[in-house]
Amino acid sequence: MDNPYVPRPYKVLSSARETADTFTMTVGMAVLHSPGQFVQVSVPGYGEAPISICSDSRKEIKLNIRQVGAVTNALAGLKKGETVLLRGPYGKGYPMKKLNGKDIVIVGGGCGVAPLKGLIDYVENHRKDFGQVSMFLGYRSPDDIIFKKELAGWKKKYSINVTVDKKGNTKSCIDAREGFVTDALGETDIRADKSAAMICGPPIMMKGSIGILKSKGFRDKQIFVSTERLMYCAMGVCCHCMIRGKFTCLDGPVFRYDEIMDIENG
Amino acid sequence: MEVLLLKKERLNGFIEKLQQDFEVIAPLKGDVIRFLPLKNPDDIFLGKNAYFPIKEYFFKKNEVLFQFNGTKIIVPELPSKKRAFFGLRRCDLNAIKHQDMVFMNDIHDPYYTAARKDSYLIGYHCNTAPSPYCFCGSLELADYFDLMVYDKKDDFLVEIGSSKGKGMAKKYASLFSKTSKKISEEEKKIPGSDRLEKKDISLFYNNSDWKKGTDLCLSCGACTALCPTCYCFETHDEVKTSNINEGERKRNWSSCQLQEFTRVAGEHVYRKDREERFKHRIFHQLEYFKEKHKVPLCVGCGRCIEGCPTRIDFVDILNNMKVENG
């Protein structure tokens, strides 16, 4: 029987910088997956880290990675043609089939936009299955905006609101307003009745966004959160990612909000 | 289940026979009581349960998952070990059962399975609770052994619990005598072991009494290390100093009682307060595991209480928890 802890080798097809501390790596892993799922990426000698898939293709997967630790910094050094070790995909993604016909509200903060990009790609590939798409994407500064190229394309098709905590002096081709993503969300008219909202970002931003959505009439069952947790095994055993008895790696990382509620302390 | 009689003077003979066929692991008295490889059958200590749990033999404190050389991965050979464990109490047998559920059913863990599959479990029934902290009688324990030894004053009765047990009884048949006696369910109950009151703890999630468990907590992690069921782990890579491309990925026990347990990139910690972490441990033991596996994880051995440097007694805290208004 296969050893479930052992990652397999795949080819790096490309690696492109997004911002000063993030990059997107395309890996030649042809695998069925749903948006919101993740893989365990290994760099021998550094360790392993869970990275969400930010694309929707059966030929390859894209991983948007922020350099915040040993593994992610080592991954930044991998070049086209080199080998990366992966296992997965793991977890439960967004229940796209069940959301057919719905308007999609996307709320993302920082690198939390990465798993949502997989969902956006899916919606693009199945455009007729969904209604209106509105996005609320927040970043620290214009320099921290990821998927700039894709954003320009999305802008033509969807309702987009980009916020940055501080504009600073940098020029950006992206039209972003200063403030928090929750401000933009609060000021916009979004209909709760035929919508599903997908949130991913820092805990405080998720909490704030959930509050606003609920005040606009969203029920817990219409809100999907993609959670981040420390994890090692990704198979529901090591227990680090447990939230009130649910495993982020197995039952999540995407949860319908009524399934977990207490994101912070559960 | 079939029961045999073992005369008291034949116990050592039985152990010696076992030693011819197995490596025998039994509780021995040293600085504390531990399960250790047995040399002399006279050294077996059955007066009290072992301070350290049995899990180290199957779910090791340190395990090499694989070696690596660059991106090439070499999985170590995992030979099975033929071992007989003697003197396991009902709590510890059930702890093995619960870890079997995790490592051999939820997933197929090759390391655990290799260590576990050729082990023979010989239990020793507690006639009374061996420690004031025991509460196995309050939990949902089951028969889970190959052989179980009951001390019946004049003789031992040995109950056969599996085909492995049957095989041993057959092989060492000359030591046993036939008996018409049976072990009743009543005899399997251990007097003085039901001090955890039955309660739906999900009603107490927001109770202010959880604080009682943490005012004294030093965050040392002894409770989870001594727990025979706690199975959390982490992995990390170690490289050779002579060649940093070569090394090993290792698995170690970890503890949900420490802040590091949930620390993610950006230094964010979930369940930041000790109170939340304490509550999480108890809820995992009594509720969360049960939601998935139909039985609480906790087996009531009391080690987490006895081994706690400040003797935090979660059983006491739960028993005294009252429904709060508002």
Side-chain angles (χ1 to χ4, degrees):
Chain A
M1 211 176 290
D2 278 352
N3 185 321
Y5 296 93
V6 175
R8 296 179 181 285
Y10 297 93
K11 205 139 246 147
V12 177
L13 301 179
S14 67
S15 183
R17 190 138 291 280
E18 294 276 353
T19 67
D21 63 356
T22 63
F23 61 97
T24 298
M25 181 185 277
T26 308
V27 180
M29 183 191 212
V31 66
L32 271 178
H33 61 90
S34 52
Q37 283 195 297
F38 67 96
V39 287
Q40 281 284 29
V41 188
S42 270
V43 186
Y46 294 89
E48 206 169 30
I51 308 282
S52 60
I53 300 169
C54 70
S55 56
D56 180 55
S57 155
R58 291 185 184 187
K59 292 183 194 135
E60 59 184 33
I61 59 167
K62 283 184 192 291
L63 307 171
N64 176 261
I65 299 163
R66 185 158 160 227
Q67 292 165 247
V68 281
V71 177
T72 48
N73 273 309
L75 284 168
L78 286 183
K79 292 182 186 67
K80 182 181 171 178
E82 290 189 312
T83 298
V84 62
L85 298 175
L86 298 183
R87 54 189 182 96
Y90 293 112
K92 240 169 64 189
Y94 296 95
M96 300 313 292
K97 292 258 163 13
K98 285 189 187 158
L99 301 177
N100 276 2
K102 297 250 191 293
D103 289 347
I104 305 289
V105 178
I106 290 167
V107 190
C111 48
V113 175
L116 294 168
K117 195 225 162 220
L119 178 133
I120 298 166
D121 283 7
Y122 181 96
V123 171
E124 299 228 283
N125 290 339
H126 303 80
R127 190 64 195 94
K128 61 176 186 346
D129 294 343
F130 302 95
Q132 283 178 19
V133 177
S134 337
M135 299 185 202
F136 301 86
L137 311 175
Y139 303 90
R140 276 177 304 188
S141 76
D143 290 337
D144 291 307
I145 297 174
I146 55 173
F147 307 125
K148 286 197 182 82
K149 209 176 85 193
E150 289 84 350
L151 253 175
W154 298 340
K155 251 189 163 164
K156 293 174 193 151
K157 294 177 255 180
Y158 312 120
S159 149
I160 308 261
N161 299 271
V162 181
T163 61
V164 289
D165 299 356
K166 262 210 156 23
K167 268 197 163 167
N169 299 322
T170 16
K171 275 190 191 162
S172 170
C173 51
I174 305 295
D175 182 21
R177 59 171 268 197
E178 202 165 83
F180 293 124
V181 70
T182 40
D183 302 334
L185 186 65
E187 290 162 18
T188 317
D189 276 332
I190 37 173
R191 296 181 323 181
D193 53 342
K194 272 198 278 171
S195 298
M198 323 291 180
I199 312 173
C200 187
I204 189 158
M205 168 250 152
M206 297 224 276
K207 216 173 159 184
S209 305
I210 290 164
I212 291 166
L213 287 168
K214 289 179 83 162
S215 74
K216 288 184 181 289
F218 277 76
R219 285 171 296 122
D220 292 340
K221 289 185 177 181
Q222 288 174 280
I223 301 172
F224 296 84
V225 291
S226 179
T227 48
E228 183 198 19
R229 282 294 186 280
L230 179 64
M231 54 178 75
Y232 291 96
C233 75
M235 300 177 284
V237 178
C238 82
C239 292
H240 285 258
C241 71
M242 200 188 262
I243 308 173
R244 282 224 191 181
K246 297 261 189 332
F247 288 96
T248 302
C249 66
L250 222 58
D251 306 305
V254 176
F255 289 100
R256 210 172 62 187
Y257 184 55
D258 62 301
E259 294 172 333
I260 48 166
M261 307 298 271
D262 189 357
I263 303 183
E264 192 59 18
N265 290 316
Chain B
M1 276 186 279
E2 199 185 337
V3 176
L4 296 167
L5 192 140
L6 178 69
K7 291 212 175 300
K8 286 221 158 160
E9 61 272 21
R10 286 191 171 170
L11 179 66
N12 277 13
F14 172 53
I15 303 288
E16 280 160 15
K17 284 271 184 210
L18 283 175
Q19 285 179 305
Q20 290 170 14
D21 297 325
F22 301 93
E23 181 187 22
V24 176
I25 312 290
L28 308 183
K29 200 172 184 182
D31 51 347
V32 291
I33 307 157
R34 298 168 196 263
F35 286 101
L36 289 170
L38 180 72
K39 286 196 188 95
N40 181 354
D42 285 333
D43 293 343
I44 296 177
F45 183 83
L46 295 170
K48 201 175 180 295
N49 197 8
Y51 182 82
F52 287 101
I54 197 74
K55 66 179 173 185
E56 162 74 18
Y57 284 93
F58 310 121
F59 169 48
K60 299 190 186 75
K61 195 161 159 270
N62 289 294
E63 180 101 57
V64 175
L65 295 179
F66 53 78
Q67 290 156 338
F68 53 81
N69 187 348
T71 52
K72 192 172 167 243
I73 286 174
I74 309 115
V75 180
E77 292 278 320
L78 299 169
S80 65
K81 283 187 182 152
K82 209 174 169 197
R83 289 187 298 212
F85 292 85
F86 182 82
L88 298 165
R89 308 300 173 115
R90 192 168 167 83
C91 54
D92 288 343
L93 289 160
N94 276 269
I96 295 173
K97 176 181 169 227
H98 298 166
Q99 291 210 334
D100 284 355
M101 287 175 175
V102 171
F103 291 111
M104 301 209 298
N105 208 1
D106 288 355
I107 65 162
H108 174 79
D109 185 286
Y111 312 92
Y112 184 93
T113 306
R116 174 71 182 88
K117 70 177 178 201
D118 279 335
S119 37
Y120 289 66
L121 310 179
I122 305 169
Y124 179 75
H125 187 76
C126 303
N127 280 337
T128 55
S131 137
Y133 303 105
C134 292
F135 56 100
C136 68
S138 305
L139 291 149
E140 297 161 35
L141 304 194
D143 285 346
Y144 200 71
F145 51 79
D146 296 314
L147 293 177
M148 188 76 179
V149 177
Y150 296 83
D151 190 337
K152 294 289 179 193
K153 254 186 182 166
D154 301 327
D155 302 298
F156 291 116
L157 289 181
V158 180
E159 191 179 15
I160 298 170
S162 71
S163 55
K164 272 182 182 172
K166 208 169 186 141
M168 280 194 281
K170 205 173 161 189
K171 185 150 194 209
Y172 313 125
S174 61
L175 291 162
F176 299 109
S177 344
K178 287 212 163 108
T179 175
S180 58
K181 286 181 183 152
K182 289 271 173 278
I183 307 292
S184 68
E185 284 309 306
E186 206 50 42
E187 284 172 277
K188 290 180 182 178
K189 287 184 183 158
I190 300 165
S193 70
D194 55 357
R195 64 189 196 96
L196 173 65
E197 291 163 19
K198 287 242 176 309
K199 221 175 220 180
D200 178 4
I201 66 161
S202 63
L203 301 172
F204 296 90
Y205 191 80
N206 293 316
N207 198 285
S208 59
D209 276 1
W210 291 106
K211 210 173 151 348
K212 288 187 194 166
T214 49
D215 284 347
L216 295 169
C217 178
L218 309 173
S219 281
C220 69
C223 47
T224 50
L226 294 175
C227 174
T229 64
C230 274
Y231 57 91
C232 299
F233 63 81
E234 58 199 37
T235 62
H236 71 280
D237 289 5
E238 275 175 24
V239 294
K240 287 185 180 169
T241 41
S242 56
N243 178 2
I244 59 162
N245 291 318
E246 274 184 52
E248 294 173 333
R249 178 157 300 164
K250 286 186 172 170
R251 172 168 82 182
N252 304 75
W253 294 352
S254 59
S255 174
C256 63
Q257 298 305 289
L258 309 179
Q259 281 207 0
E260 287 74 35
F261 194 76
T262 61
R263 184 171 287 147
V264 291
E267 297 298 302
H268 190 82
V269 172
Y270 299 89
R271 296 190 290 272
K272 205 168 173 55
D273 297 331
R274 279 184 196 153
E275 190 176 330
E276 300 295 344
R277 301 199 293 275
F278 171 65
K279 183 160 73 175
H280 180 76
R281 175 168 70 89
I282 306 308
F283 265 83
H284 188 195
Q285 288 285 344
L286 298 178
E287 282 279 311
Y288 302 153
F289 191 82
K290 191 174 179 176
E291 285 164 15
K292 192 169 171 181
H293 298 92
K294 313 286 175 231
V295 62
L297 178 59
C298 178
V299 292
C301 70
R303 287 186 178 94
C304 62
I305 305 163
E306 189 169 10
C308 173
T310 61
R311 277 292 146 78
I312 297 166
D313 186 342
F314 86 84
V315 174
D316 224 26
I317 293 167
L318 282 183
N319 285 346
N320 288 312
M321 225 173 243
K322 303 223 164 35
V323 178
E324 291 171 328
N325 294 321

